[in-house]
Amino acid sequence: QVQLVESGGGRVQPGGSLRLSCAASGSIFRSNIMGWYRQVPGKQRELVASITSGGTTMYADSLKGRFTISRDNAKNSVALQMNSLNSEDTAVYYCNALAYTKDGSDYPLGSWGQGTQVTVSS
């Protein structure tokens, strides 16, 4: 059972924009916090943005002002608008539902999808 399908990645020049989309199954979307993660080879997957069912957003400090996360609760989808991209944004991007531990660490709730590759290069 496929729970999460990401799309919208591609190659873009520095300074460009991309919009990622994620289609989620109802069972994983529901009222959960949804987030976008990214991973580069050799590094841990990191949470870049999250959004609650009520629309409260959180962003990694390094990304504030460039990325915007949104969700459509009626369509079980979440999007990530990425602007002013640079080479450090090159990664595979994944979406997932998530929760937080008492110490503020996030952890994923669903199985990972295949992700979508974002490459920022001139």
Side-chain angles (χ1 to χ4, degrees), residues 22-65:
C22 172
S25 65
S27 62
I28 193 68
F29 193 84
R30 284 193 293 203
S31 60
N32 285 321
I33 301 171
M34 294 298 297
W36 282 95
Y37 292 77
R38 68 184 182 186
Q39 187 173 28
V40 298
K43 293 189 177 181
Q44 285 191 330
R45 204 168 315 201
E46 63 172 347
L47 179 65
V48 299
S50 66
I51 185 168
T52 69
S53 59
T56 299
T57 58
M58 182 285 295
Y59 299 93
D61 288 341
S62 61
L63 301 174
K64 285 181 178 177

Side-chain angles (χ1 to χ4, degrees), residues 3-5 22-29 34 75-78 95:
Q3 294 183 309
L4 299 158
V5 179
C22 172
S25 65
S27 62
I28 193 68
F29 193 84
M34 294 298 297
K75 295 182 178 180
N76 290 350
S77 65
V78 60
C95 68

Side-chain angles (χ1 to χ4, degrees), residues 23-120:
S25 65
S27 62
I28 193 68
F29 193 84
R30 284 193 293 203
S31 60
N32 285 321
I33 301 171
M34 294 298 297
W36 282 95
Y37 292 77
R38 68 184 182 186
Q39 187 173 28
V40 298
K43 293 189 177 181
Q44 285 191 330
R45 204 168 315 201
E46 63 172 347
L47 179 65
V48 299
S50 66
I51 185 168
T52 69
S53 59
T56 299
T57 58
M58 182 285 295
Y59 299 93
D61 288 341
S62 61
L63 301 174
K64 285 181 178 177
R66 296 195 299 120
F67 289 14
T68 303
I69 189 171
S70 60
R71 67 189 285 165
D72 186 332
N73 291 332
K75 295 182 178 180
N76 290 350
S77 65
V78 60
L80 185 69
Q81 177 67 42
M82 306 186 296
N83 299 326
S84 302
L85 288 163
N86 59 61
S87 59
E88 294 183 348
D89 297 317
T90 295
V92 180
Y93 286 72
Y94 303 85
C95 68
N96 211 330
L98 64 117
Y100 290 94
T101 63
K102 291 181 179 180
D103 66 0
S105 300
D106 63 273
Y107 59 95
L109 297 176
S111 299
W112 294 105
Q114 293 189 335
T116 186
Q117 175 71 49
V118 171
T119 303
V120 184

